[in-house]
Structures are given as C-alpha cells and as structure tokens.
Amino acid sequence: MREPEAAEPDYWTFVDHAVRSVSETLPDVDPDAMRLVMTLHRATDLLSYDLHARLGEIKLNESAQLSSTGLRLLLVLSASGPLELRRVAALSGMSRAAVSAAVENLASNGLVGKEPSREDRRTVLLHLTPEGQKTFARCFAAYNAGEQHWAATLTAEERGQLVGLLTKLMQTKDVQRRA
C-alpha cells in the first residue's frame, strides 16, 4: 500500500530544509551564508522574471519585442550618450560579445546607430536613434512600473539600507576581481 504524498514544500520551506540538512551532513558549511545566497538567487530570479514579462508585453513591431538586455543597453546609451562598445559593456555589466550581439539586434530594428569616432576613426560609437529614444521612453516607463511595484514593499529607509548592503556585498575584492 502506497503512503499518501505529503504536500510539496514551498521554496522557503525547502530553503529551511536544505540549510538544516546540509548543515547536519557538512559541518563546515556556513548555514547563514547558504541562506543568504539562496534568498538572493530567488529574489533576483523573481524580479527578473516579472520585469522581463512586463517587457514581453511591449512589441517593437509585429515580429520583435525588446529584451531586458536590449533595454539595459538603451538605458546605458540614453543616460550616457554615444559610447564605444567596450564602455557600453563595462557600464551594462555585460561581456563585449553579448553587447555586440544585442547591438546588432537593436540596430536592425532601427534603435541604435553606429558612427566612427571623430577622435579615432577606427573606433565606432554607438548611439540611440530618434526611434531608439522613443522606444526607450515607452518601454522603460512600463519596466519602471514593475520596479515601483517591487520597491513599494519596502519603506524608503529599508530600500536605502538594502541598496547599501547589496553595494557593500558587491564591493568585495574577490567579486571585483572576477567581474
């Protein structure tokens, strides 16, 4: 006779179980660090999924939509003006190869233009086209509505504390060396 199945645990119940189980079998594991990273993973996954879904609802044309990667590049160019690909990569936190591929897609949709630098003709500068500026404004408004939804869960003081703590976490020398 088969035993009745227990209700499947939710993610947070699983985190508790995983931390307890791993801590018992691997005594050198730091359970607080494990819980922190599992929580950060879950939070970033949920945020990314929700914000990406909001972008998916916005069409550039009949066959194209703006990806979160594309929006990130439009943000960099909107905030900083014309830049070399390597600077766009550094400011967006993406690899040059990823930026290059995304720029080709954005350029084919008329959102990003390329022009030789006046100082060094071998260098190409990327810039938003007028259509890219309009698209950025329209898409970022929808994206920011999602950001506001998530941020509203915390008080202004809590948001400041969280940003400060995450900034501190990301400023470790090991993280900077690997990024």
Side-chain angles (χ1 to χ4, degrees):
M1 183 168 168
R2 197 171 162 208
E3 290 185 33
E5 290 184 27
E8 288 191 33
D10 66 3
Y11 183 78
W12 301 113
T13 304
F14 170 73
V15 169
D16 292 338
H17 169 73
V19 168
R20 193 171 41 257
S21 174
V22 170
S23 296
E24 290 169 1
T25 58
L26 301 171
D28 291 337
V29 166
D30 180 341
D32 292 334
M34 183 179 172
R35 184 180 307 280
L36 169 69
V37 172
M38 289 181 79
T39 302
L40 283 171
H41 272 291
R42 182 63 168 198
T44 56
D45 287 349
L46 287 172
L47 279 164
S48 295
Y49 179 79
D50 180 62
L51 295 174
H52 182 74
R54 289 172 189 270
L55 279 178
E57 297 169 0
I58 303 168
K59 301 289 182 195
L60 296 176
N61 56 45
E62 291 86 33
S63 62
Q65 67 186 44
L66 186 63
S67 68
S68 53
T69 299
L71 183 65
R72 189 179 336 168
L73 297 184
L74 294 182
L75 170 63
V76 169
L77 292 173
S78 176
S80 301
L83 292 171
E84 294 177 35
L85 186 134
R86 67 178 177 80
R87 288 296 301 146
V88 173
L91 294 174
S92 67
M94 298 167 51
S95 71
R96 288 185 198 183
V99 169
S100 183
V103 163
E104 290 307 314
N105 184 36
L106 294 169
S108 72
N109 282 293
L111 305 178
V112 171
K114 303 174 191 179
E115 62 188 51
S117 168
R118 290 186 182 119
E119 289 83 37
D120 180 357
R121 305 293 281 174
R122 297 170 295 174
T123 302
V124 174
L125 295 177
L126 306 173
H127 64 89
L128 287 183
T129 65
E131 184 61 31
Q133 292 169 343
K134 284 190 255 177
T135 298
F136 172 73
R138 180 171 53 95
C139 292
F140 197 78
Y143 189 84
N144 184 250
E147 292 176 325
Q148 291 174 48
H149 170 78
W150 284 94
T153 306
L154 304 174
T155 66
E157 182 180 343
E158 289 169 333
R159 288 190 299 264
Q161 289 171 340
L162 182 57
V163 168
L165 292 169
L166 291 171
T167 300
K168 181 177 180 179
L169 185 64
M170 298 310 298
Q171 288 176 339
T172 64
K173 290 181 178 155
D174 288 344
V175 171
Q176 290 176 349
R177 192 170 44 241
R178 293 182 195 159

